[in-house]
């Protein structure tokens, strides 16, 4: 089994930054690549703030924080991923975007290096087939926020080699995360169950059954969920939620996965949730205010 030392992360958004954060804390060298050096640096700025929060909360020491930060660099271009032993793609949930990234990355990656995707829903087998290394490709699906959430779902494509899977297991174990294994079907386990619930919450709002606040309070207090489903949708990103519903709808051809038209409308407006300052709540003031 290959020993990993250098991890490449593609996408410095909320997930890519989180993956870089936990990998660096576990002692891996990390290179973060995004559409620009500035975007990658912005991601590292977020990691710094989150490490500081962990330090303030007594979860890590100042030495661990500094060591982790010293291991993370922002890529100037895709060529900076050339030395990576494993590249984890955590870019926008869009198959065309991911395919373009894999083509770029495979061009510079050593033949023995592994490639993984953090996709929430897209077929691992199909993504793997678009690369030059389907046997060294798999899904490593982290949960948001990565430094806090315990679980990682591992998803093998039809061609994923045993050695690839074992190397990924060892990597996830070194991060101190728990693992589950999902077969390669649309949205895997967590999002197959979670996303239709969120979509149904949006239908509940769309049909006027309840207000934003009543829907969220109902599920927090009535089902003991730590966050209401609309709050959670904003946290995940409404574009990501819509993409996952579309993958479920297309992949399973069942009308029960039809994305709610209200979700489509929010995404069309660019109201993507926390990351854009507005979704089912408006986050631009002191406290979040429902947007309808
Ligand atoms: P995000 O919008 O926060 O970040 C996406 C990043 O990808 C951005 O920084 C963007 O600039 C970058 N990007 C886009 N095109 C790129 C390209 N061609 N090359 C390099 N970088 C590019 O999204 P996110 O929430 O971090 O989600 C990323 C992935 O993780 C998606 O596949 C999503 O389904 C998955 N995921 C998300 C969550 C969640 O709760 N948000 C949870 C698990 C998995």
């Amino acid at each position: 089994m290959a020993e990993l030392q250098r991890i490449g992360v593609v996408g410095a958004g909320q997930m890519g930054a989180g993956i870089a954060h936990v990998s660096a804390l576990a002692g891996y060298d990390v290179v973060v690549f995004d559409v620009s050096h500035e975007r990658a640096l912005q991601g590292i700025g977020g990691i710094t703030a989150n490490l500081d929060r962990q330090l303030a909360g007594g979860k890590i020491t100042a030495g661990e924080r500094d060591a982790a930060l010293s291991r993370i660099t922002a890529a100037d271009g895709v060529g900076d991923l050339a030395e990576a032993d494993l590249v984890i793609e955590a870019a926008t949930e869009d198959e065309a975007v991911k395919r373009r990234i894999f083509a770029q990355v495979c061009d510079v990656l050593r033949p023995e290096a592994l490639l993984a995707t953090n996709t929430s829903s897209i077929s691992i087998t199909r993504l793997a087939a678009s690369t030059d290394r389907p046997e060294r490709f798999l899904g490593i699906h982290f949960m948001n926020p990565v430094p806090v959430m315990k679980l990682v779902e591992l998803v093998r494509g039809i061609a994923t080699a045993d050695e690839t899977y074992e190397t990924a297991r060892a990597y996830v174990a070194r991060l101190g995360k728990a693992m589950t294994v999902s077969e390669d079907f649309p949205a895997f386990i967590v999002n197959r169950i979670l996303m239709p619930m969120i979509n149904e919450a949006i239908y509940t709002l769309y049909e006027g059954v309840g207000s934003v606040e009543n829907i969220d309070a109902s599920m927090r207090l009535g089902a003991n969920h730590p966050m209401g489903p609309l709050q959670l949708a904003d946290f995940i990103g409404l574009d990501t939620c819509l993409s996952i519903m579309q993958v479920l709808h297309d992949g399973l051809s069942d009308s029960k996965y039809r994305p709610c038209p209200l979700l489509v409308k929010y995404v069309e407006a660019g109201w993507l949730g926390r990351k854009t300052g507005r979704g089912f709540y408006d986050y631009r003031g002191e406290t979040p205010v429902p947007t309808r």
Side-chain angles (χ1 to χ4, degrees):
M1 188 171 74
E3 182 64 37
L4 306 178
Q5 185 46 42
R6 181 175 283 261
I7 311 288
V9 178
V10 178
Q14 40 187 358
M15 295 307 291
I19 295 165
H21 174 143
V22 297
S23 299
L25 265 185
Y28 294 102
D29 296 322
V30 182
V31 185
V32 179
F33 170 71
D34 205 297
V35 287
S36 67
H37 186 68
E38 290 65 39
R39 184 76 190 91
L41 283 176
Q42 212 181 327
I44 295 175
I47 297 172
T48 309
N50 287 334
L51 283 166
D52 284 342
R53 196 169 309 145
Q54 285 184 311
L55 175 61
K59 297 213 163 58
I60 57 171
T61 65
E64 285 167 338
R65 170 202 177 273
D66 294 347
L69 275 178
S70 74
R71 291 187 198 107
I72 307 177
T73 53
D76 267 323
V78 73
D80 287 350
L81 296 175
E83 298 304 313
D85 303 310
L86 162 68
V87 169
I88 303 174
E89 172 278 316
T92 314
E93 187 74 347
D94 177 322
E95 187 161 341
V97 169
K98 291 186 188 298
R99 280 169 178 262
R100 277 199 298 276
I101 289 170
F102 294 141
Q104 261 185 302
V105 170
C106 288
D107 250 4
V108 300
L109 212 53
R110 288 177 295 112
E112 62 274 22
L114 305 185
L115 192 51
T117 174
N118 185 50
T119 179
S120 302
S121 59
I122 302 168
S123 163
I124 302 302
T125 298
R126 201 166 61 234
L127 289 176
S130 78
T131 75
D132 61 358
R133 62 194 73 210
E135 63 293 342
R136 282 186 299 287
F137 189 101
L138 85 167
I140 306 181
H141 181 223
F142 289 83
M143 307 293 137
N144 187 19
V146 181
V148 176
M149 298 297 279
K150 292 193 183 73
L151 185 72
V152 173
E153 277 184 318
L154 289 179
V155 189
R156 297 178 69 152
I158 204 166
T160 308
D162 289 346
E163 193 183 339
T164 302
Y165 174 66
E166 291 305 330
T167 304
R169 280 181 66 94
Y171 162 69
V172 175
R174 186 163 147 191
L175 301 181
K177 301 285 187 199
M179 268 169 272
T180 54
V181 179
S182 170
E183 287 297 324
D184 184 20
F185 288 104
F188 319 125
I189 295 171
V190 172
N191 283 313
R192 170 80 177 258
I193 299 168
L194 177 66
M195 225 23 96
M197 195 263 306
I198 287 177
N199 194 48
E200 198 61 28
I202 303 170
Y203 269 113
T204 309
L205 178 67
Y206 177 62
E207 292 171 8
V209 181
S211 65
V212 169
E213 277 163 327
N214 274 290
I215 292 165
D216 276 349
S218 296
M219 294 308 284
R220 272 200 319 273
L221 305 176
N224 228 7
H225 289 192
M227 271 185 173
L230 301 173
Q231 207 189 349
L232 180 57
D234 275 358
F235 185 72
I236 292 168
L238 301 189
D239 54 338
T240 301
C241 293
L242 177 58
S243 297
I244 296 171
M245 286 312 298
Q246 282 163 338
V247 168
L248 280 166
H249 195 226
D250 294 349
L252 298 168
S253 303
D254 189 328
S255 62
K256 76 178 176 184
Y257 299 114
R258 189 171 74 103
C260 180
L262 187 60
L263 173 60
V264 176
K265 191 185 282 195
Y266 269 77
V267 172
E268 284 173 349
W271 293 16
L272 307 183
R274 273 182 182 275
K275 63 185 171 188
T276 56
R278 220 174 347 181
F280 292 109
Y281 294 86
D282 188 333
Y283 299 92
R284 293 170 302 169
E286 284 276 294
T287 48
V289 180
T291 52
R292 47 190 309 117

